[in-house]
Amino acid sequence: MNELDGLVDSARQRFAQAATPADLENAKAQFLGKSGRITELMKGLAALGVDEKKARGAVINQAKQAIEAALTARRQELAEAELQAHLKAEALDVTLPGRQRGIGGLHPVSLTLERIEAIFGSMGFEVAQGPEIESDWFNFTALNTPEDHPARSMHDTFYVEGGPVNAPNLLRTHTSPMQIRHAVQHVKKHRAALDAGRAMPEIRVIAPGRTYRVDSDATHSPMFHQCEGLWIGENVSFKDLKVVFTDFCRTFFESDDLVLRFRPSFFPFTEPSAEVDIQFQRGPLAGRWLEVAGSGEVHPNVVRNMGLDPERYIGFAFGMGPDRLTMLRYGVNDLRLFFDGDIRFLSQFQ
Ligand code: PHE
């Protein structure tokens, strides 16, 4: 065994020890690189005579080829090992059940809104939609809440750009502006009948939608939902409000013995005003009074702003919280869960 056989052997060993392609390339440099062992030997040839150079050159070349062959073989081994590791990591278990396409569904609050619309629809109520960016007039002033009225501070309002300087536009703080918007449209449609002193078809409408207030905790979100209700006719009394709202709540909660309480309250746009509380007779919430809506007989000033004569037209309005109704119906105790968008929570309602 000559000196070069030893060199080839040590190259094979080094290559075998290389565990990664990068290791192997480093090992290669020691033998075949610019200052590697083989290259050094080649340089040594320069000092030899012609015959000697020929003989020795052939031996070195043989050794070089042997080292190159060992390198190629090891390269393939490492590549193969890498491929196997990769395949193993990606192992596909064809016996696993297939991944199903998730079936989407409606958000729990949307389910509630649909339910509200269906129930009031069955009682002859239309559904109206309106803008979420509202003017000061519709959100406050037309609702008998002029500038500087203390009741304005009950709503922590998000103001936005646009509108008169002293009365900027805002994100509607309730759906009550829809009372005015819808009534004005209705009156316009029936102007001729009104002018001729004939009766106008009653206004019977609900207006569900998003509303906004600067508020955030377990039971308040800066964006929340409300659903307004309005019934205006020639003889629509507080008694009708009680009948309609009681009917609605009992149908909504599928509970015939649900008890309602109309608790005296104040809203600038209704007189008299009441907050509506409900009480379940059975189930986990039984016995507690739970507030679900504000309501009242529409204030004469508001009837006037609708373009109607308050001596002739009268009716009730209410504003309820569909988010709250959803929480009560499903037993959810944190409002924010509805708006976090966590699929684990939302998929429970499908
Ligand atoms: N808009 C009132 C609120 O958001 C609720 C309400 C509506 C009260 C209609 C009376 C009549 O608090």
Side-chain angles (χ1 to χ4, degrees):
M1 182 166 150
N2 67 27
E3 171 213 349
L4 287 182
D5 285 340
L7 184 60
V8 172
D9 269 354
S10 73
R12 285 201 180 111
Q13 268 174 36
R14 274 293 286 117
F15 294 167
Q17 282 162 8
T20 67
D23 267 3
L24 183 60
E25 295 314 308
N26 283 336
K28 170 197 160 184
Q30 287 173 22
F31 298 93
L32 303 170
K34 250 194 215 153
S35 48
R37 304 278 297 280
I38 291 289
T39 319
E40 293 299 323
L41 290 172
M42 291 286 200
K43 283 180 192 159
L45 289 177
L48 303 179
V50 179
D51 287 344
E52 233 182 325
K53 195 186 272 183
K54 210 172 168 187
R56 180 122 174 104
V59 176
I60 297 174
N61 245 329
Q62 257 174 21
K64 187 182 174 192
Q65 280 164 14
I67 292 174
E68 279 171 350
L71 176 68
T72 306
R74 184 60 183 151
R75 267 190 189 140
Q76 276 167 6
E77 260 173 43
L78 286 178
E80 179 66 17
E82 202 170 36
L83 178 66
Q84 288 308 328
H86 208 82
L87 288 176
K88 207 170 156 194
E90 268 187 356
L92 180 70
D93 183 350
V94 293
T95 65
L96 284 174
R99 227 174 266 161
Q100 293 176 3
R101 181 178 296 202
I103 296 174
L106 287 178
H107 189 279
V109 174
S110 299
L111 293 173
T112 295
L113 291 174
E114 280 199 341
R115 205 172 159 77
I116 292 172
E117 289 175 20
I119 297 169
F120 278 103
S122 77
M123 296 193 240
F125 281 73
E126 288 178 68
V127 178
Q129 305 273 346
E132 290 170 26
I133 294 179
E134 193 48 284
S135 70
D136 182 277
W137 165 258
F138 285 112
N139 196 83
F140 289 125
T141 308
L143 291 166
N144 203 33
T145 317
E147 212 182 321
D148 300 328
H149 191 292
R152 282 198 181 201
S153 63
M154 281 159 65
H155 299 194
D156 285 312
T157 310
F158 287 109
Y159 287 94
V160 298
E161 283 174 5
V165 204
N166 56 345
N169 289 343
L170 45 88
L171 297 182
R172 66 179 179 189
T173 59
H174 51 177
T175 45
S176 300
M178 284 307 295
Q179 289 185 32
I180 309 288
R181 283 185 179 276
H182 181 80
V184 165
Q185 287 301 316
H186 185 94
V187 167
K188 210 162 141 192
K189 228 190 291 177
H190 301 287
R191 189 77 264 167
L194 282 162
D195 285 348
R198 293 201 306 273
M200 171 195 78
E202 290 185 334
I203 297 172
R204 213 181 297 169
V205 69
I206 59 166
R210 283 184 280 267
T211 47
Y212 302 84
R213 286 186 208 177
V214 186
D215 222 349
S216 186
D217 59 41
T219 52
H220 296 89
S221 145
M223 188 287 299
F224 58 106
H225 294 84
Q226 277 198 348
C227 181
E228 200 75 7
L230 179 70
W231 186 340
I232 301 277
E234 297 200 0
N235 206 1
V236 182
S237 70
F238 203 96
K239 180 191 74 188
D240 297 306
L241 165 65
K242 291 181 92 168
V243 169
V244 166
F245 209 77
T246 302
D247 238 31
F248 163 73
C249 289
R250 289 186 176 161
T251 310
F252 183 87
F253 289 108
E254 298 167 275
S255 167
D256 286 341
D257 55 4
L258 189 76
V259 178
L260 276 78
R261 171 171 84 175
F262 288 76
R263 179 164 40 85
S265 183
F266 172 80
F267 299 101
F269 34 91
T270 46
E271 180 59 37
S273 304
E275 240 134 350
V276 188
D277 301 333
I278 61 170
Q279 191 188 73
F280 293 96
Q281 304 308 300
R282 279 165 288 123
L285 295 167
R288 282 168 53 194
W289 286 112
L290 308 157
E291 187 185 318
V292 292
S295 68
E297 282 286 287
V298 178
H299 193 285
N301 287 349
V302 176
V303 174
R304 209 170 282 120
N305 288 334
M306 291 170 175
L308 292 169
D309 174 7
E311 295 294 330
R312 180 166 181 191
Y313 290 96
I314 189 166
F316 66 77
F318 59 80
M320 60 182 161
D323 305 325
R324 194 79 206 287
L325 295 185
T326 313
M327 290 171 79
L328 294 174
R329 177 146 191 255
Y330 295 110
V332 174
N333 53 20
D334 192 328
L335 175 70
R336 291 168 293 197
L337 285 167
F338 289 138
F339 309 123
D340 285 345
D342 187 330
I343 198 76
R344 292 167 303 179
F345 171 72
L346 296 174
S347 59
Q348 297 176 83
F349 299 91
Q350 302 319 318

